Amino acid sequence: MGLIVLALVLWRLWWRSRHPVPQLPSKMPAWQLRAAQLVQVGLYLCMLVLPLAGIAGAIHSKSGLVFFGYSLPRLAAPNHDLAETYFDIHGALVWLLVLLVCVHIAGALKHRFIDRDGVFERMVPGRD
């Protein structure tokens, strides 16, 4: 699954590079603009590094990298300690991603129901 997730994340990064994010309202406080940037960068970093850490752990595991039941060519000798380190990083990033998604959702709901400033509506597909 990690290989598919990595491919989807790379496609998303390519797509985002060709479709810039609309500007946030100029009336937003500076701290909210900075928080939005940090959460956005954190989400993208987690989406990129999380599958890489899982793949690296699998490469160094005893069973190696397996793609839907098919063992892929071994890229490194098994190293239990290194595999566990990568899997620990992978696990920590999962929880960081969950936290960032929750913060992102909370911010979106704040803009929808409290601020009513149109930021939430920017996320709806097909809207400008």
Side-chain angles (χ1 to χ4, degrees), residues 2-3 5 7 22 28-30 33 36 41 43 49 56 63 69 72 82-83 89 93 101 106 113-115 121 124 127:
L3 293 170
V5 169
M28 278 181 62
L33 293 171
V41 167
L43 286 168
V49 177
S63 60
L72 298 180
L82 193 53
I89 292 168
L93 288 174
V101 167
F113 296 111
I114 296 172
D115 297 342
E121 286 72 18
V124 177
R127 292 189 135 190

Side-chain angles (χ1 to χ4, degrees), residues 48-126:
L48 183 61
V49 177
L50 204 151
L52 290 173
I55 291 167
I59 287 171
H60 290 92
S61 70
K62 185 178 176 183
S63 60
L65 190 57
V66 179
F67 187 70
F68 291 101
Y70 296 98
S71 293
L72 298 180
R74 187 164 278 289
L75 301 174
N79 182 329
H80 177 75
D81 293 337
L82 193 53
E84 286 300 314
T85 299
Y86 282 121
F87 288 139
D88 288 344
I89 292 168
H90 180 77
L93 288 174
V94 167
W95 288 109
L96 178 58
L97 182 62
V98 168
L99 174 68
L100 290 170
V101 167
C102 289
V103 169
H104 186 67
I105 291 169
L109 293 174
K110 175 191 173 291
H111 284 286
R112 173 70 172 110
F113 296 111
I114 296 172
D115 297 342
R116 300 175 191 254
D117 56 5
V119 171
F120 180 86
E121 286 72 18
R122 294 174 349 133
M123 293 184 267
V124 177

